[in-house]
Amino acid sequence: MTLLHEPHHDGSPLYVDDEAPATGWPVQVRVRTSIDDPVDQVWVRTTYDAEPTYHPCIEIARDEQAVWWQGDLPVHNPVTHYRFLLVAGATQRWLTGAGVVDHDPPDAFDFRLSSHPAAPDWARDAVVYQVFPDRFARSGAADERETPHWAVPAGWDDTVAFEPHDPHTPLQFFGGDLDGVTEHLDHVAGIGVTVVYTTPVFPGESNHRYNASTFDRVDDLLGGDDAYVRLATAVHERGWRILGDLTTNHTGDTHEWFKNPDTQDFYCFRPDGTYECWMGHHTLPKLDHTNTELRAAMVEGPDSVVARWLRPPFDLDGWRVDVANMTGRLGAVDVNHDVARAVRRTALAERADAFVIGEHNHDASTDLDGDGWHGTMNYSGFSWPVWSWLRDPDSPARAFGRPVPVSRRPGASVVQSLREWQGRYGWRATTSSWNILGSHDSARIRTLTGSGAVHRVAAGLQFTLPGVPMLFAGDEIGMEGVLGEDSRRPFPWHRREAWDEDTLATYAGLARLRHEHPALRRGGLRWAHVADDTLVFLREHPAGSVLVAARRAAAPEVVIALGDATLLLTTGTDGDVSGTIPAVDGPTFSVWSI
């Protein structure tokens, strides 16, 4: 059964004339309905200063399959929420961001338009590559550096310490550095990457460096400021971008601000002299963003940390903000959105096309109105639904942030989750957020799926569903890890036989398709067929559309009345189709142009 008969609207160019309309002017919005599902009237409902108002839509086109309706949506508030009322005789339904419902739903899943400027084009069109510097690559200079006093030295092939109770886990030191990253940019180029994002490079007494001791320089163990300049320069010479990683919520307890009595009020001290810290870790004291001096030092103005690193000689193109969801929040205090706005305002003052993305691993919807973070690391709206569809029941991969493994779910449940999160975040925030299958904080996707074939299906979804694909270095060769710290295994440059070459080729092919087809970067999303083991969808764009079929197991043929389609990529045996997607005998991911 096809789902293409369902009424449809999303925030893509086929359905919305302006994704960042100015307030005070209407924007034209469109709905597609099916000839086989007659509709008599369509109204767009919005809210004017929180009061519902209704505006008629008129039929503007009709063919043998569809009827197109168009209406003027008033844009009065900075963020405009709207939905469509579909009338057929005595029947009324609502079309929302989460789909069609036959009851009166809450506004949580309304479509939304933000009048604030969108994320820069380069960030929305990107393929992002995350590097954990200590484990990616060692340059020759790394051998000349002494192991720091806090560290436990390890050889590149040593087993990673990863259990939370093991004191060696944050201290095990493999000695990767920034020149090592620069030396391997040809590999990164080969898989179609356009943005390099490294976890923190500031000094900190751990291998992860999220416990910074200063924000004024790059850790000498990584090669210092000069090595960071060399990396940024090499990235920019290729026409790419580079993002830094900044923790605005906390520092390390060795940070110069924390140790200086004159700046200790930058932190959240309790009346008894103790201090707040991140999740009970005393080495990570929490910053107080109600303090104006701290705000000036960290996030506001040209002398702030946010601003300085976006200027020469480093020229960062923006920031990934660590634990952005917790920044500025403590009990009854909540200045989180103020901080997000400040970071964005400061970054844009330095670079007109700067990008800021916040880490947030549950519901980030209230933080994504368009004037703060451009998007989020989309764990809830992408990672967990995809994990739940593709998880091997016998996988040793541990859940991220929950006490039990992610449940294995059928296709219909997964699509409902994807729809709800897309509706909750809004189209623009979804397309600006990162589709991540894993990161330095989670299990590896290869371990979760248990096989290369299913891993490649996951990669296909990462590159073809709305959002920006972010790879954690090593995903492309099938590296494994049962949880975040275990996923930080050193990259096996010297053991090419350990690489999964089929998966490497799949990532390169998917990146090529994303760069070549605007539909995969800016196109709409219409679900065509959903079964327990099969997901089929369309990415539609005026410049051309693509059809995507993902199968997690053997599956029968799917009949889709779309005419001829030309195969662009497959991880199985699919060929060109004419109305029928062939049956498969195992996990397969395929993309066609239509």
Side-chain angles (χ1 to χ4, degrees):
M1 182 181 69
T2 179
L3 302 177
L4 294 176
H5 69 281
E6 291 185 341
H8 184 74
H9 173 86
D10 58 44
S12 68
L14 282 175
Y15 297 92
V16 176
D17 276 355
D18 188 347
E19 66 170 17
T23 55
W25 298 89
V27 62
Q28 290 184 330
V29 294
R30 288 172 288 280
V31 173
R32 176 190 177 121
T33 62
S34 172
I35 290 290
D36 298 326
D37 180 18
V39 172
D40 302 323
Q41 300 176 57
V42 176
W43 298 78
V44 59
R45 193 213 79 170
T46 185
T47 54
Y48 186 100
D49 295 337
E51 181 69 17
T53 62
Y54 290 79
H55 308 272
C57 298
I58 62 171
E59 180 181 326
I60 59 169
R62 175 186 293 257
D63 58 30
E64 66 276 9
Q65 292 183 334
V67 179
W68 285 85
W69 305 79
Q70 181 172 284
D72 287 339
L73 172 65
V75 178
H76 172 67
N77 302 106
V79 178
T80 300
H81 296 257
Y82 64 103
R83 64 173 76 174
F84 295 92
L85 178 63
L86 311 177
V87 181
T91 301
Q92 297 182 14
R93 293 174 292 169
W94 291 104
L95 172 58
T96 74
V100 179
V101 295
D102 58 4
H103 61 275
D104 292 331
D107 290 2
F109 297 126
D110 278 5
F111 300 104
R112 63 171 71 178
L113 281 177
S114 174
S115 294
H116 303 291
D121 285 348
W122 67 262
R124 297 175 70 183
D125 294 338
V127 174
V128 182
Y129 195 75
Q130 181 194 27
V131 172
F132 190 85
D134 183 59
R135 311 290 166 83
F136 185 66
R138 287 171 62 96
S139 70
D143 294 335
E144 302 171 6
R145 300 185 188 113
E146 293 185 7
T147 301
H149 68 89
W150 53 262
V152 178
W156 204 249
D157 287 323
D158 285 358
T159 300
V160 169
F162 63 85
E163 294 292 359
H165 58 76
D166 187 341
H168 290 173
T169 296
L171 305 179
Q172 193 178 29
F173 181 75
F174 286 83
D177 60 7
L178 294 174
D179 283 324
V181 181
T182 304
E183 291 169 2
H184 288 89
L185 290 182
D186 284 347
H187 167 81
V188 179
I191 51 175
V193 166
T194 60
V195 174
V196 174
Y197 147 54
T198 71
T199 54
V201 298
F202 304 114
E205 295 188 354
S206 68
N207 50 43
H208 54 72
R209 297 183 173 85
Y210 284 100
N211 55 340
S213 58
T214 183
F215 295 122
D216 287 344
R217 61 183 176 85
V218 173
D219 196 335
D220 291 337
L221 297 170
L222 294 175
D225 289 3
D226 290 344
Y228 205 26
V229 171
R230 286 191 289 270
L231 173 60
T233 300
V235 165
H236 288 140
E237 286 176 347
R238 293 174 180 264
W240 304 349
R241 305 289 181 139
I242 184 169
L243 295 178
D245 194 334
L246 182 63
T247 304
T248 53
N249 179 72
H250 57 263
T251 70
D253 62 349
T254 60
H255 198 283
E256 55 199 8
W257 292 345
F258 191 72
K259 295 168 66 176
N260 184 346
D262 294 335
T263 50
Q264 278 197 339
D265 58 355
F266 284 10
Y267 296 84
C268 297
F269 276 87
R270 306 183 186 104
D272 64 359
T274 60
Y275 54 89
E276 300 288 346
C277 47
W278 180 77
M279 301 301 289
H281 294 275
H282 71 276
T283 59
L284 302 174
K286 185 177 179 68
L287 292 166
D288 181 4
H289 282 273
T290 66
N291 183 300
T292 56
E293 292 183 2
L294 177 274
R295 292 269 285 265
M298 192 72 180
V299 300
E300 290 185 338
D303 296 326
S304 66
V305 175
V306 166
R308 292 199 309 271
W309 291 86
L310 303 188
R311 295 196 293 265
F314 306 102
D315 280 325
L316 297 185
D317 295 286
W319 293 104
R320 177 265 190 186
V321 179
D322 183 50
V323 288
N325 54 310
M326 298 185 73
T327 297
R329 288 180 169 133
L330 179 62
V333 174
D334 188 349
V335 294
N336 180 273
H337 210 151
D338 292 339
V339 177
R341 291 189 189 103
V343 172
R344 177 167 169 169
R345 184 171 58 247
T346 299
L348 291 176
E350 295 297 331
R351 305 185 74 91
D353 63 350
F355 178 65
V356 289
I357 188 163
E359 181 194 23
H360 203 309
N361 80 350
H362 63 293
D363 187 347
S365 57
T366 58
D367 296 341
L368 295 177
D369 278 346
D371 56 347
W373 321 124
H374 286 114
T376 184
M377 298 181 73
N378 200 3
Y379 288 107
S380 289
F382 178 81
S383 309
W384 309 150
V386 172
W387 275 28
S388 68
W389 192 51
L390 298 178
R391 185 179 72 85
D392 177 358
D394 297 323
S395 171
R398 302 181 195 174
F400 180 27
R402 69 178 70 186
V404 294
V406 171
S407 176
R408 182 175 168 89
R409 295 190 173 98
S413 296
V414 170
V415 169
Q416 183 63 25
S417 181
L418 290 168
R419 279 178 156 173
E420 288 184 1
W421 283 107
Q422 181 184 306
R424 191 79 176 103
Y425 285 173
W427 181 258
R428 199 177 82 181
T430 297
T431 58
S432 301
S433 294
W434 286 354
N435 289 347
I436 49 182
L437 294 172
S439 70
H440 71 291
D441 283 328
S442 75
R444 288 274 187 179
I445 187 62
R446 172 56 65 89
T447 302
L448 183 105
T449 60
S451 77
V454 181
H455 176 180
R456 291 187 281 276
V457 174
L461 294 172
Q462 181 180 35
F463 278 77
T464 59
L465 283 171
V468 177
M470 188 216 83
L471 293 64
F472 181 31
D475 283 349
E476 72 273 20
I477 62 170
M479 287 180 64
E480 297 208 40
V482 302
L483 81 171
E485 286 77 4
D486 187 34
S487 297
R488 305 171 190 177
R489 300 178 189 181
F491 201 109
W493 297 108
H494 59 301
R495 290 189 289 110
R496 184 75 187 226
E497 71 279 3
W499 295 21
D500 181 343
E501 300 288 350
D502 288 342
T503 297
L504 179 63
T506 296
Y507 274 93
L510 289 166
R512 174 180 53 79
L513 289 185
R514 178 174 166 80
H515 295 319
E516 291 176 352
H517 294 271
L520 294 177
R521 306 190 307 274
R522 300 303 179 91
L525 171 66
R526 288 174 65 205
W527 292 98
H529 176 87
V530 176
D532 285 359
D533 299 323
T534 300
L535 305 179
V536 182
F537 54 91
L538 283 169
R539 298 296 309 276
E540 296 178 305
H541 191 273
S545 301
V546 298
L547 173 67
V548 176
R551 275 75 70 93
R552 69 178 180 181
E557 70 176 19
V558 177
V559 178
I560 301 288
L562 291 173
D564 292 339
T566 302
L567 186 68
L568 298 173
L569 178 147
T570 184
T571 65
T573 57
D574 280 332
D576 292 349
V577 301
S578 180
T580 302
I581 298 173
V584 295
D585 58 6
T588 305
F589 186 86
S590 304
V591 183
W592 295 266
S593 65
I594 60 171

